[in-house]
Amino acid sequence: QVQLVESGGGLVQAGGSLRLSCAGSAMIFTAKSMGWFRQAPGKQRELVASITSGGYGNYADSVKGRFTISRDDRSNTVYLQMNSLTPEDTAVYYCNRLLRPYVAWGQGTQVTVSP
């Protein structure tokens, strides 16, 4: 079954940190660029970070310098280290392949940043 499972979200104060994880099967990750996306209430889903199969990361301007994406292909897991969080980072975070066709979206993990 093709499945993505995100975890690691929670409630944190502004300035705090969280580390998100996304686990799936090898067929999802192998030789694929992966991305972390987020969707805030009333807004469209947006890409915040991506990583190539070779480990090169790219970031949205809004998170550059604060978020770090990484991957462990031995465990088929992608991570998102989030530092210096602000209330504007509050959203449900999802991972998926960077490019279409996407696999089925997981449940996501809620990140809530209080002022």
Side-chain angles (χ1 to χ4, degrees), residues 15 18 27 31 35-36 49-51 57 59 71 79 89 92 110 112:
L18 286 171
M27 69 172 291
W36 277 101
S50 64
I51 187 166
Y59 302 91
R71 63 190 294 161
Y79 302 97
D89 296 315
V92 180
Q110 174 71 48
T112 303

Side-chain angles (χ1 to χ4, degrees), residues 5-53:
V5 180
E6 299 92 350
S7 62
L11 173 63
V12 64
Q13 288 187 328
S17 298
L18 286 171
R19 189 191 193 208
L20 307 184
S21 300
C22 171
S25 62
M27 69 172 291
I28 299 174
F29 290 89
T30 301
K32 299 294 185 184
S33 294
M34 298 295 297
W36 277 101
F37 304 78
R38 69 185 180 187
Q39 187 166 18
K43 295 187 178 180
Q44 289 191 332
R45 189 173 294 172
E46 63 172 345
L47 175 69
V48 295
S50 64
I51 187 166
T52 66
S53 57

Side-chain angles (χ1 to χ4, degrees), residues 90-114:
T90 294
V92 180
Y93 284 71
Y94 304 87
C95 73
N96 212 313
R97 290 174 174 167
L98 175 62
L99 302 176
R100 297 177 189 271
Y102 300 130
V103 299
W105 293 90
Q107 294 293 315
T109 186
Q110 174 71 48
V111 172
T112 303
V113 185
S114 62

Side-chain angles (χ1 to χ4, degrees), residues 59-73:
Y59 302 91
D61 287 343
S62 59
V63 306
K64 200 171 292 183
R66 301 188 296 121
F67 290 10
T68 303
I69 190 170
S70 60
R71 63 190 294 161
D72 181 352
D73 288 343

